[in-house]
Amino acid sequence: MTSPVVKVPGRAWIVTFAGTAINLCLGILYAWSVWKAALMPPKGNAAGDLMTGINQGWVYLSDAQATWAYAICGFMFALFMIPGGRIQDKYGPKVGATLGGLCLALGCIVAGLMKSYTGLIVGFGILGGMGMGIGYAAPTPAAVKWFGPHKRGLIVGLVVGGYGGAAIYIAPVAKWLIADYGISGSFIGLGIAFAVVVIIAGQLLSWPPAGYVPPGLPVSKTAANAPSLSTVDWSASQMVKTAQFYALVFLFFGSAQSGLLVIANATPMLNKTAATLAFFAANAWLLASYGGLINASGRIGTGMYSDKIGRANAYFINCIISAVCLLLTPLVMKSGSVFLLFLAVGIAYWQYGGGLALMPAFTADFFGPKNLGFNYGLVFIGWGLGFFVPQAAGYIKDYTGSLDAAFYLSGALLIAAVVVSKILKRPVMAKEEAKALRPAI
Protein backbone atom coordinates (compact mmCIF):
# COMPACT_ATOMS: atom_id res chain seq x y z
CA MET A 1 0.00 0.00 0.00
CA THR A 2 1.34 3.44 -0.89
CA SER A 3 2.39 5.61 2.06
CA PRO A 4 0.46 8.83 2.69
CA VAL A 5 1.95 11.95 1.16
CA VAL A 6 3.34 14.51 3.59
CA LYS A 7 1.61 17.45 1.93
CA VAL A 8 -1.46 17.72 -0.26
CA PRO A 9 -0.26 18.29 -3.85
CA GLY A 10 -1.11 21.45 -5.75
CA ARG A 11 -3.28 19.43 -8.10
CA ALA A 12 -5.69 18.82 -5.22
CA TRP A 13 -6.32 22.54 -4.83
CA ILE A 14 -6.76 23.00 -8.60
CA VAL A 15 -9.51 20.35 -8.50
CA THR A 16 -11.09 22.00 -5.46
CA PHE A 17 -11.27 25.50 -6.93
CA ALA A 18 -12.29 24.25 -10.39
CA GLY A 19 -15.21 22.63 -8.57
CA THR A 20 -15.98 25.94 -6.90
CA ALA A 21 -16.02 27.68 -10.31
CA ILE A 22 -18.42 25.10 -11.72
CA ASN A 23 -20.80 25.56 -8.82
CA LEU A 24 -20.63 29.35 -9.17
CA CYS A 25 -22.41 28.81 -12.50
CA LEU A 26 -24.78 26.00 -11.57
CA GLY A 27 -26.02 28.15 -8.68
CA ILE A 28 -28.29 30.18 -10.98
CA LEU A 29 -31.12 28.44 -9.11
CA TYR A 30 -30.44 30.56 -6.02
CA ALA A 31 -31.20 33.78 -7.86
CA TRP A 32 -34.65 32.53 -8.90
CA SER A 33 -36.45 35.11 -6.76
CA VAL A 34 -35.24 37.82 -9.20
CA TRP A 35 -37.02 36.09 -12.10
CA LYS A 36 -40.02 35.36 -9.90
CA ALA A 37 -40.40 39.06 -9.13
CA ALA A 38 -40.32 39.83 -12.88
CA LEU A 39 -42.87 37.11 -13.69
CA MET A 40 -45.47 38.14 -11.10
CA PRO A 41 -47.98 40.89 -11.94
CA PRO A 42 -47.38 44.41 -10.61
CA LYS A 43 -50.24 46.49 -9.25
CA GLY A 44 -52.87 47.01 -11.90
CA ASN A 45 -52.19 43.67 -13.58
CA ALA A 46 -53.27 40.10 -12.87
CA ALA A 47 -51.93 36.61 -13.55
CA GLY A 48 -52.61 35.77 -17.19
CA ASP A 49 -52.21 39.33 -18.48
CA LEU A 50 -49.85 39.80 -21.42
CA MET A 51 -46.58 41.62 -20.78
CA THR A 52 -45.59 44.52 -23.00
CA GLY A 53 -42.39 46.21 -24.13
CA ILE A 54 -39.15 44.26 -23.89
CA ASN A 55 -40.99 41.22 -22.43
CA GLN A 56 -43.68 41.09 -25.08
CA GLY A 57 -44.80 37.49 -25.60
CA TRP A 58 -44.62 36.60 -21.90
CA VAL A 59 -47.63 36.53 -19.56
CA TYR A 60 -47.74 37.29 -15.85
CA LEU A 61 -47.94 34.26 -13.53
CA SER A 62 -49.52 33.59 -10.15
CA ASP A 63 -47.28 33.02 -7.10
CA ALA A 64 -47.72 29.25 -7.33
CA GLN A 65 -47.01 29.24 -11.08
CA ALA A 66 -43.91 31.39 -10.63
CA THR A 67 -42.60 28.85 -8.12
CA TRP A 68 -43.25 25.67 -10.14
CA ALA A 69 -40.23 25.99 -12.45
CA TYR A 70 -38.02 26.56 -9.38
CA ALA A 71 -39.51 23.56 -7.57
CA ILE A 72 -39.31 21.24 -10.57
CA CYS A 73 -35.73 22.36 -11.24
CA GLY A 74 -34.81 21.46 -7.67
CA PHE A 75 -36.54 18.08 -7.84
CA MET A 76 -34.90 17.22 -11.18
CA PHE A 77 -31.59 18.42 -9.76
CA ALA A 78 -31.91 15.94 -6.89
CA LEU A 79 -33.16 13.13 -9.13
CA PHE A 80 -30.29 13.51 -11.60
CA MET A 81 -27.69 13.64 -8.83
CA ILE A 82 -28.16 9.86 -8.78
CA PRO A 83 -27.13 9.13 -12.41
CA GLY A 84 -24.72 12.07 -12.12
CA GLY A 85 -23.03 10.35 -9.20
CA ARG A 86 -22.90 7.09 -11.13
CA ILE A 87 -21.29 8.90 -14.10
CA GLN A 88 -18.71 10.49 -11.76
CA ASP A 89 -17.88 7.18 -10.06
CA LYS A 90 -17.64 5.25 -13.36
CA TYR A 91 -16.36 7.69 -15.99
CA GLY A 92 -14.77 10.47 -13.96
CA PRO A 93 -15.75 14.06 -13.13
CA LYS A 94 -14.88 15.63 -16.51
CA VAL A 95 -17.67 13.77 -18.29
CA GLY A 96 -20.29 14.79 -15.73
CA ALA A 97 -19.26 18.45 -15.73
CA THR A 98 -19.36 18.65 -19.54
CA LEU A 99 -22.78 16.99 -19.82
CA GLY A 100 -24.14 19.17 -17.03
CA GLY A 101 -22.94 22.41 -18.61
CA LEU A 102 -24.43 21.56 -22.01
CA CYS A 103 -27.77 20.54 -20.53
CA LEU A 104 -28.02 23.70 -18.41
CA ALA A 105 -27.34 25.89 -21.45
CA LEU A 106 -29.95 24.07 -23.51
CA GLY A 107 -32.53 24.46 -20.74
CA CYS A 108 -31.96 28.19 -20.36
CA ILE A 109 -32.12 28.74 -24.13
CA VAL A 110 -35.38 26.77 -24.37
CA ALA A 111 -36.90 28.81 -21.52
CA GLY A 112 -35.86 32.07 -23.16
CA LEU A 113 -37.07 31.20 -26.66
CA MET A 114 -40.44 29.69 -25.69
CA LYS A 115 -41.48 32.75 -23.64
CA SER A 116 -44.12 30.79 -21.75
CA TYR A 117 -45.01 29.00 -18.54
CA THR A 118 -44.50 25.70 -20.38
CA GLY A 119 -41.09 26.88 -21.55
CA LEU A 120 -40.06 27.67 -17.99
CA ILE A 121 -41.14 24.20 -16.83
CA VAL A 122 -39.48 22.30 -19.69
CA GLY A 123 -36.42 24.52 -20.10
CA PHE A 124 -35.41 25.84 -16.70
CA GLY A 125 -37.28 23.25 -14.65
CA ILE A 126 -36.59 19.93 -16.38
CA LEU A 127 -33.54 20.46 -18.62
CA GLY A 128 -31.89 22.99 -16.30
CA GLY A 129 -32.45 20.74 -13.29
CA MET A 130 -30.99 17.76 -15.14
CA GLY A 131 -27.88 19.78 -16.03
CA MET A 132 -27.45 21.02 -12.48
CA GLY A 133 -27.76 17.52 -11.00
CA ILE A 134 -25.30 15.89 -13.42
CA GLY A 135 -22.85 18.79 -13.16
CA TYR A 136 -23.07 19.20 -9.37
CA ALA A 137 -22.36 15.49 -8.82
CA ALA A 138 -18.92 15.80 -10.43
CA PRO A 139 -16.71 18.19 -8.37
CA THR A 140 -17.35 17.32 -4.70
CA PRO A 141 -16.47 13.58 -4.77
CA ALA A 142 -13.45 14.35 -6.96
CA ALA A 143 -12.11 16.94 -4.50
CA VAL A 144 -12.83 14.85 -1.39
CA LYS A 145 -10.65 11.99 -2.66
CA TRP A 146 -7.56 14.24 -2.51
CA PHE A 147 -7.88 15.09 1.22
CA GLY A 148 -7.95 13.20 4.53
CA PRO A 149 -11.13 12.88 6.65
CA HIS A 150 -10.02 15.65 9.03
CA LYS A 151 -10.27 18.12 6.10
CA ARG A 152 -13.47 16.70 4.65
CA GLY A 153 -15.83 19.36 6.00
CA LEU A 154 -13.63 22.26 4.87
CA ILE A 155 -13.09 20.91 1.35
CA VAL A 156 -16.76 20.13 0.81
CA GLY A 157 -17.57 23.61 2.12
CA LEU A 158 -15.20 25.26 -0.36
CA VAL A 159 -16.53 23.32 -3.35
CA VAL A 160 -20.25 23.69 -2.61
CA GLY A 161 -19.66 27.25 -1.39
CA GLY A 162 -19.51 28.24 -5.05
CA TYR A 163 -23.07 27.10 -5.58
CA GLY A 164 -24.27 29.05 -2.58
CA GLY A 165 -22.29 32.13 -3.51
CA ALA A 166 -23.58 32.26 -7.06
CA ALA A 167 -26.49 34.51 -6.13
CA ILE A 168 -24.04 37.23 -5.01
CA TYR A 169 -23.35 38.14 -8.61
CA ILE A 170 -26.12 36.37 -10.55
CA ALA A 171 -28.90 38.33 -8.79
CA PRO A 172 -27.69 41.82 -9.84
CA VAL A 173 -26.58 40.58 -13.28
CA ALA A 174 -29.98 38.95 -13.86
CA LYS A 175 -31.73 42.13 -12.69
CA TRP A 176 -29.69 44.16 -15.19
CA LEU A 177 -30.21 41.69 -18.03
CA ILE A 178 -33.97 41.54 -17.43
CA ALA A 179 -34.16 45.36 -17.44
CA ASP A 180 -32.06 45.80 -20.61
CA TYR A 181 -32.63 42.60 -22.59
CA GLY A 182 -35.82 41.14 -21.12
CA ILE A 183 -36.57 37.86 -19.41
CA SER A 184 -35.67 35.89 -22.54
CA GLY A 185 -32.34 37.67 -23.00
CA SER A 186 -31.38 37.00 -19.40
CA PHE A 187 -31.99 33.25 -19.69
CA ILE A 188 -30.23 32.84 -23.03
CA GLY A 189 -27.22 35.01 -22.17
CA LEU A 190 -26.54 33.45 -18.79
CA GLY A 191 -27.18 29.91 -20.02
CA ILE A 192 -24.56 30.15 -22.76
CA ALA A 193 -21.99 31.88 -20.52
CA PHE A 194 -22.38 29.31 -17.76
CA ALA A 195 -22.04 26.36 -20.15
CA VAL A 196 -18.69 27.71 -21.39
CA VAL A 197 -17.31 28.12 -17.84
CA VAL A 198 -18.60 24.75 -16.58
CA ILE A 199 -17.16 22.83 -19.54
CA ILE A 200 -13.76 24.54 -19.33
CA ALA A 201 -13.46 24.21 -15.53
CA GLY A 202 -14.67 20.63 -15.79
CA GLN A 203 -11.55 19.66 -17.73
CA LEU A 204 -9.49 20.55 -14.64
CA LEU A 205 -11.28 17.98 -12.48
CA SER A 206 -9.49 14.68 -11.88
CA TRP A 207 -9.15 11.82 -9.44
CA PRO A 208 -5.89 11.21 -7.55
CA PRO A 209 -3.50 8.68 -9.14
CA ALA A 210 -3.90 5.01 -8.26
CA GLY A 211 -2.50 4.21 -4.82
CA TYR A 212 -2.66 7.83 -3.63
CA VAL A 213 -3.14 8.16 0.14
CA PRO A 214 -3.88 11.68 1.43
CA PRO A 215 -2.12 13.21 4.44
CA GLY A 216 -3.62 12.09 7.73
CA LEU A 217 -4.56 13.92 10.91
CA PRO A 218 -1.54 15.63 12.54
CA VAL A 219 -0.10 13.55 15.38
CA SER A 220 -0.71 16.39 17.86
CA LYS A 221 -4.46 16.06 17.36
CA THR A 222 -6.23 13.66 19.66
CA ALA A 223 -8.59 10.95 18.46
CA ALA A 224 -11.38 12.64 20.39
CA ASN A 225 -11.33 15.52 17.92
CA ALA A 226 -11.83 13.27 14.91
CA PRO A 227 -15.30 12.38 13.67
CA SER A 228 -16.57 8.79 13.89
CA LEU A 229 -15.70 7.35 10.48
CA SER A 230 -16.61 4.22 8.59
CA THR A 231 -13.59 1.96 8.03
CA VAL A 232 -15.29 0.24 5.09
CA ASP A 233 -16.82 1.55 1.87
CA TRP A 234 -20.52 0.75 1.65
CA SER A 235 -22.17 0.09 -1.70
CA ALA A 236 -25.46 1.83 -2.44
CA SER A 237 -27.37 -1.44 -2.08
CA GLN A 238 -25.90 -1.92 1.40
CA MET A 239 -26.47 1.71 2.39
CA VAL A 240 -30.19 1.81 1.53
CA LYS A 241 -30.82 -1.13 3.87
CA THR A 242 -29.80 0.96 6.90
CA ALA A 243 -32.05 3.22 8.97
CA GLN A 244 -29.25 5.79 8.98
CA PHE A 245 -29.61 6.35 5.22
CA TYR A 246 -33.26 7.36 5.62
CA ALA A 247 -32.36 9.49 8.64
CA LEU A 248 -29.78 11.38 6.54
CA VAL A 249 -32.38 11.92 3.80
CA PHE A 250 -34.74 13.40 6.41
CA LEU A 251 -31.98 15.58 7.87
CA PHE A 252 -31.27 16.88 4.37
CA PHE A 253 -34.97 17.51 3.78
CA GLY A 254 -35.34 19.42 7.06
CA SER A 255 -32.29 21.59 6.47
CA ALA A 256 -33.02 22.22 2.79
CA GLN A 257 -36.73 23.06 2.87
CA SER A 258 -36.27 25.96 5.27
CA GLY A 259 -33.56 27.61 3.17
CA LEU A 260 -35.36 26.92 -0.10
CA LEU A 261 -38.49 28.61 1.24
CA VAL A 262 -36.52 31.79 1.94
CA ILE A 263 -34.55 31.61 -1.33
CA ALA A 264 -37.71 31.32 -3.42
CA ASN A 265 -39.24 34.37 -1.74
CA ALA A 266 -36.26 36.59 -0.83
CA THR A 267 -36.96 39.39 -3.31
CA PRO A 268 -40.75 39.50 -2.68
CA MET A 269 -40.09 39.39 1.09
CA LEU A 270 -37.93 42.50 0.91
CA ASN A 271 -40.45 44.15 -1.43
CA LYS A 272 -43.16 43.67 1.19
CA THR A 273 -41.11 44.52 4.28
CA ALA A 274 -39.47 47.64 2.80
CA ALA A 275 -42.35 48.80 0.60
CA THR A 276 -42.09 52.34 1.94
CA LEU A 277 -38.30 52.57 1.54
CA ALA A 278 -37.54 53.71 -2.00
CA PHE A 279 -33.98 52.33 -2.13
CA PHE A 280 -34.89 48.80 -1.08
CA ALA A 281 -38.08 48.84 -3.14
CA ALA A 282 -35.98 49.57 -6.23
CA ASN A 283 -33.19 47.13 -5.30
CA ALA A 284 -34.98 44.16 -3.78
CA TRP A 285 -32.43 41.84 -5.45
CA LEU A 286 -30.03 42.90 -2.67
CA LEU A 287 -31.56 40.36 -0.28
CA ALA A 288 -30.89 37.55 -2.77
CA SER A 289 -27.25 38.64 -3.24
CA TYR A 290 -26.76 39.06 0.51
CA GLY A 291 -28.26 35.62 0.97
CA GLY A 292 -25.82 34.20 -1.54
CA LEU A 293 -22.87 35.61 0.43
CA ILE A 294 -24.15 34.12 3.70
CA ASN A 295 -25.07 30.85 1.97
CA ALA A 296 -21.50 30.44 0.71
CA SER A 297 -20.01 31.52 4.05
CA GLY A 298 -22.24 29.05 5.88
CA ARG A 299 -20.94 26.19 3.76
CA ILE A 300 -17.29 26.98 4.39
CA GLY A 301 -17.76 27.98 8.04
CA THR A 302 -19.95 25.04 8.96
CA GLY A 303 -17.62 22.66 7.14
CA MET A 304 -14.70 23.96 9.18
CA TYR A 305 -16.28 23.74 12.61
CA SER A 306 -17.98 20.42 11.85
CA ASP A 307 -14.46 18.99 11.45
CA LYS A 308 -13.82 20.15 15.03
CA ILE A 309 -17.09 19.53 16.90
CA GLY A 310 -18.66 16.80 14.78
CA ARG A 311 -21.35 16.79 12.09
CA ALA A 312 -24.27 16.17 14.44
CA ASN A 313 -23.31 18.99 16.81
CA ALA A 314 -22.86 21.42 13.93
CA TYR A 315 -26.25 20.41 12.49
CA PHE A 316 -27.94 20.91 15.87
CA ILE A 317 -26.48 24.38 16.45
CA ASN A 318 -27.29 25.62 12.95
CA CYS A 319 -30.80 24.23 12.74
CA ILE A 320 -32.18 25.07 16.19
CA ILE A 321 -31.22 28.74 15.78
CA SER A 322 -32.65 28.82 12.27
CA ALA A 323 -35.91 27.22 13.40
CA VAL A 324 -36.45 30.00 15.93
CA CYS A 325 -35.82 32.62 13.23
CA LEU A 326 -38.28 30.96 10.86
CA LEU A 327 -41.00 31.03 13.50
CA LEU A 328 -40.31 34.73 14.12
CA THR A 329 -40.08 35.76 10.43
CA PRO A 330 -43.80 36.69 10.09
CA LEU A 331 -43.43 39.10 13.03
CA VAL A 332 -40.24 40.53 11.55
CA MET A 333 -41.92 41.21 8.20
CA LYS A 334 -44.88 42.87 9.91
CA SER A 335 -42.51 45.09 11.90
CA GLY A 336 -41.10 46.61 8.70
CA SER A 337 -37.57 46.30 10.07
CA VAL A 338 -35.14 45.74 7.21
CA PHE A 339 -32.32 45.08 9.68
CA LEU A 340 -34.22 42.29 11.44
CA LEU A 341 -35.28 40.81 8.09
CA PHE A 342 -31.67 40.67 6.89
CA LEU A 343 -30.67 39.09 10.23
CA ALA A 344 -33.39 36.40 10.10
CA VAL A 345 -32.80 35.66 6.43
CA GLY A 346 -29.03 35.57 6.99
CA ILE A 347 -29.40 32.90 9.68
CA ALA A 348 -31.69 30.86 7.40
CA TYR A 349 -29.16 31.08 4.56
CA TRP A 350 -26.23 30.15 6.85
CA GLN A 351 -28.05 27.08 8.12
CA TYR A 352 -29.10 26.05 4.62
CA GLY A 353 -25.60 26.46 3.24
CA GLY A 354 -24.16 24.64 6.22
CA GLY A 355 -26.46 21.69 5.56
CA LEU A 356 -25.09 21.35 2.03
CA ALA A 357 -21.57 21.15 3.47
CA LEU A 358 -22.56 18.74 6.24
CA MET A 359 -24.53 16.18 4.24
CA PRO A 360 -21.80 14.99 1.82
CA ALA A 361 -19.38 14.87 4.77
CA PHE A 362 -22.00 12.98 6.83
CA THR A 363 -22.42 10.52 3.95
CA ALA A 364 -18.67 9.95 3.58
CA ASP A 365 -18.22 9.58 7.36
CA PHE A 366 -21.05 7.03 7.59
CA PHE A 367 -20.57 5.05 4.37
CA GLY A 368 -16.99 5.74 3.19
CA PRO A 369 -15.57 7.93 0.38
CA LYS A 370 -15.11 5.34 -2.39
CA ASN A 371 -18.73 5.32 -3.61
CA LEU A 372 -19.54 8.85 -2.46
CA GLY A 373 -20.74 10.06 -5.87
CA PHE A 374 -23.59 7.55 -6.12
CA ASN A 375 -24.27 7.26 -2.38
CA TYR A 376 -24.52 11.02 -1.92
CA GLY A 377 -26.73 11.20 -4.99
CA LEU A 378 -29.23 8.99 -3.16
CA VAL A 379 -29.00 11.00 0.08
CA PHE A 380 -29.48 14.15 -2.03
CA ILE A 381 -33.07 13.06 -2.67
CA GLY A 382 -33.83 14.78 0.65
CA TRP A 383 -32.76 18.11 -0.84
CA GLY A 384 -35.07 17.62 -3.80
CA LEU A 385 -38.01 16.77 -1.56
CA GLY A 386 -37.36 20.06 0.25
CA PHE A 387 -38.73 21.94 -2.79
CA PHE A 388 -42.24 20.79 -1.99
CA VAL A 389 -42.34 23.20 0.97
CA PRO A 390 -41.75 26.43 -1.04
CA GLN A 391 -44.18 25.07 -3.62
CA ALA A 392 -46.78 24.51 -0.90
CA ALA A 393 -45.97 28.02 0.33
CA GLY A 394 -46.98 29.39 -3.08
CA TYR A 395 -50.42 27.84 -2.72
CA ILE A 396 -50.67 29.04 0.89
CA LYS A 397 -49.83 32.57 -0.27
CA ASP A 398 -52.39 32.44 -3.11
CA TYR A 399 -55.08 31.15 -0.73
CA THR A 400 -54.39 33.22 2.41
CA GLY A 401 -52.54 36.23 1.00
CA SER A 402 -49.66 35.59 3.40
CA LEU A 403 -46.63 33.31 3.85
CA ASP A 404 -47.03 33.18 7.65
CA ALA A 405 -48.36 29.61 7.81
CA ALA A 406 -45.58 28.45 5.49
CA PHE A 407 -42.90 29.79 7.86
CA TYR A 408 -44.57 28.07 10.83
CA LEU A 409 -44.70 24.77 8.91
CA SER A 410 -41.06 25.09 7.88
CA GLY A 411 -39.92 25.83 11.43
CA ALA A 412 -41.77 22.78 12.78
CA LEU A 413 -40.19 20.49 10.16
CA LEU A 414 -36.73 21.82 11.00
CA ILE A 415 -37.25 21.14 14.71
CA ALA A 416 -38.28 17.55 13.88
CA ALA A 417 -35.02 17.13 11.93
CA VAL A 418 -33.03 18.46 14.89
CA VAL A 419 -34.57 15.77 17.12
CA VAL A 420 -33.53 13.06 14.63
CA SER A 421 -29.99 14.44 14.45
CA LYS A 422 -29.59 14.05 18.22
CA ILE A 423 -30.33 10.31 18.18
CA LEU A 424 -28.50 9.45 14.95
CA LYS A 425 -25.47 7.12 15.20
CA ARG A 426 -23.11 5.86 12.53
CA PRO A 427 -23.97 2.41 11.12
CA VAL A 428 -21.43 -0.37 11.66
CA MET A 429 -21.11 -3.15 9.10
CA ALA A 430 -20.83 -6.68 10.47
CA LYS A 431 -17.29 -7.22 9.17
CA GLU A 432 -16.22 -3.88 10.63
CA GLU A 433 -17.64 -4.90 14.02
CA ALA A 434 -15.92 -8.28 13.82
CA LYS A 435 -12.59 -6.63 13.02
CA ALA A 436 -12.96 -4.32 16.03
CA LEU A 437 -13.59 -7.31 18.33
CA ARG A 438 -10.68 -9.38 16.95
CA PRO A 439 -7.82 -9.55 19.50
CA ALA A 440 -4.54 -7.96 18.50
CA ILE A 441 -1.67 -10.34 17.69
Side-chain angles (χ1 to χ4, degrees):
M1 183 176 179
T2 306
S3 300
V5 296
V6 177
K7 184 179 179 181
V8 174
R11 181 67 185 170
W13 292 106
I14 291 174
V15 172
T16 299
F17 290 111
T20 303
I22 290 169
N23 285 333
L24 276 167
C25 297
L26 298 179
I28 183 176
L29 182 65
Y30 288 158
W32 178 253
S33 65
V34 176
W35 280 282
K36 181 176 179 178
L39 290 164
M40 290 178 63
K43 286 185 178 180
N45 291 95
D49 288 351
L50 291 171
M51 296 188 193
T52 58
I54 200 169
N55 291 319
Q56 187 172 1
W58 288 89
V59 299
Y60 290 112
L61 306 179
S62 69
D63 194 289
Q65 287 176 322
T67 308
W68 263 118
Y70 170 77
I72 291 173
C73 182
F75 184 74
M76 295 300 293
F77 185 155
L79 191 63
F80 274 80
M81 273 285 290
I82 299 172
R86 178 70 81 185
I87 290 169
Q88 195 282 149
D89 289 343
K90 189 172 183 179
Y91 300 106
K94 294 179 183 179
V95 175
T98 301
L99 287 175
L102 290 173
C103 196
L104 175 62
L106 177 62
C108 289
I109 291 170
V110 167
L113 292 178
M114 288 186 69
K115 296 186 177 183
S116 67
Y117 177 53
T118 301
L120 288 173
I121 297 297
V122 174
F124 189 85
I126 296 176
L127 292 174
M130 290 169 59
M132 290 177 198
I134 295 170
Y136 189 81
T140 302
V144 164
K145 294 177 189 292
W146 288 91
F147 296 86
H150 64 293
K151 291 285 188 182
R152 192 170 283 159
L154 170 62
I155 297 307
V156 171
L158 286 171
V159 175
V160 302
Y163 198 93
I168 298 172
Y169 76 95
I170 294 177
V173 170
K175 178 75 173 177
W176 165 68
L177 287 173
I178 291 170
D180 286 10
Y181 300 97
I183 296 171
S184 292
S186 67
F187 278 126
I188 295 170
L190 287 173
I192 293 173
F194 291 164
V196 171
V197 174
V198 170
I199 292 170
I200 292 174
Q203 308 317 301
L204 300 175
L205 300 178
S206 65
W207 291 334
Y212 172 84
V213 181
L217 191 69
V219 177
S220 61
K221 302 290 186 182
T222 65
N225 289 330
S228 176
L229 305 173
S230 174
T231 59
V232 296
D233 290 298
W234 297 61
S235 68
S237 60
Q238 293 169 325
M239 178 183 72
V240 298
K241 294 176 182 177
T242 68
Q244 285 87 347
F245 163 71
Y246 298 96
L248 289 183
V249 171
F250 182 69
L251 260 62
F252 215 155
F253 166 75
S255 174
Q257 56 82 26
S258 61
L260 293 170
L261 173 63
V262 173
I263 290 166
N265 295 284
T267 298
M269 284 167 66
L270 185 55
N271 276 333
K272 181 177 179 180
T273 305
T276 60
L277 300 176
F279 174 78
F280 288 107
N283 297 279
W285 57 267
L286 282 169
L287 190 58
S289 288
Y290 161 78
L293 175 62
I294 303 301
N295 188 346
S297 301
R299 296 172 191 231
I300 299 169
T302 299
M304 290 177 67
Y305 58 71
S306 76
D307 285 335
K308 305 293 183 183
I309 66 175
R311 316 298 178 208
N313 289 333
Y315 187 95
F316 174 81
I317 292 170
N318 282 5
C319 293
I320 199 66
I321 297 173
S322 185
V324 172
C325 287
L326 282 167
L327 296 174
L328 293 175
T329 294
L331 289 176
V332 169
M333 292 178 66
K334 287 181 177 65
S335 74
S337 172
V338 174
F339 171 77
L340 290 178
L341 180 66
F342 270 74
L343 178 62
V345 167
I347 291 172
Y349 271 100
W350 179 281
Q351 180 280 132
Y352 171 76
L356 280 150
L358 287 173
M359 299 315 299
F362 249 132
T363 305
D365 290 351
F366 276 27
F367 302 108
K370 181 179 179 181
N371 303 310
L372 180 60
F374 191 48
N375 288 350
Y376 180 54
L378 292 171
V379 172
F380 202 79
I381 290 171
W383 183 84
L385 293 174
F387 278 83
F388 285 104
V389 172
Q391 185 58 48
Y395 287 105
I396 290 170
K397 172 79 176 298
D398 287 340
Y399 183 74
T400 67
S402 168
L403 284 171
D404 290 4
F407 285 113
Y408 298 143
L409 170 64
S410 182
L413 289 170
L414 191 52
I415 290 171
V418 167
V419 173
V420 173
S421 75
K422 294 303 292 180
I423 61 177
L424 182 61
K425 302 295 181 184
R426 179 177 72 84
V428 179
M429 195 179 288
K431 65 179 182 180
E432 183 184 1
E433 195 170 45
K435 182 178 179 182
L437 294 173
R438 191 181 303 141
I441 296 176

